[in-house]
Amino acid sequence: MQIALANPTHILEVLSFFNENLDSNNSAVYSEEFLCPLGIKASIRRKQMVVATVEGQVVGAFRFYRKKTQNKISLYQFAISEIYRGQGLLKKMLKTINDLPIISLCPTDSYLNDYYDKSGWYLQEQNEDFNVWILND
């Protein structure tokens, strides 16, 4: 398995990967931007997408951006292939950029809150719409 910043040669495969692993019925998809091909392409060009590949196939991907004013990294979007879920792949991938705390918004009614809770994220704050999770390791 290789984990690295995505590059323009990954664009079509990453678009296909997110299309297969995310849809608007997913309770964690709170913005149509998650499904927008232009946003995904732009994040790859800005070096804000990390991919995990096995034999050239994308099995995990996440989009992030550095919050300059807060000294944090925001995990904006991620997906892991079903066969690689539950193996700590996202955390391995995050280690490639983990020089600052990583924060992630999750809708309060999403099943993904269980993932954050069980995998070592800390619930930093909560409001009516979102839980704000933080990872410091």
Side-chain angles (χ1 to χ4, degrees):
M1 179 177 297
Q2 292 185 306
I3 298 172
L5 281 173
N7 64 59
T9 64
H10 291 115
I11 288 175
L12 291 178
E13 192 169 355
V14 170
L15 288 170
S16 176
F17 175 77
F18 277 125
N19 192 42
E20 292 170 14
N21 289 281
L22 285 180
D23 64 48
S24 59
N25 294 324
N26 185 316
S27 66
V29 175
Y30 58 87
S31 169
E32 289 296 317
E33 188 178 337
F34 288 175
L35 308 173
C36 175
L38 295 176
I40 292 169
K41 289 177 188 178
S43 68
I44 291 172
R45 289 190 183 104
R46 287 190 310 262
K47 300 185 184 323
Q48 295 176 327
M49 177 81 67
V50 171
V51 294
T53 57
V54 173
E55 298 177 7
Q57 297 281 80
V58 174
V59 298
F62 71 82
R63 182 161 50 162
F64 69 97
Y65 60 91
R66 294 179 187 277
K67 294 182 162 228
K68 295 175 183 128
T69 58
Q70 295 181 359
N71 242 5
K72 294 178 182 169
I73 296 171
S74 180
L75 174 61
Y76 187 68
Q77 169 184 16
F78 73 91
I80 304 294
S81 290
E82 196 168 336
I83 62 171
Y84 288 94
R85 293 177 191 162
Q87 300 175 31
L89 179 56
L90 179 62
K91 281 183 117 176
K92 289 177 194 169
M93 294 171 67
L94 288 170
K95 287 183 187 294
T96 65
I97 61 157
N98 198 10
D99 55 342
L100 295 171
I102 298 171
I103 61 169
S104 184
L105 287 178
C106 189
T108 54
D109 62 351
S110 174
Y111 70 93
L112 266 182
N113 286 294
D114 289 337
Y115 161 78
Y116 288 110
D117 187 45
K118 292 176 182 174
S119 61
W121 292 71
Y122 170 74
L123 183 59
Q124 184 179 37
E125 67 182 82
Q126 188 173 31
N127 63 42
E128 189 175 304
D129 299 317
F130 293 101
N131 288 333
V132 178
W133 295 94
I134 189 161
L135 183 67
N136 280 314
D137 41 84

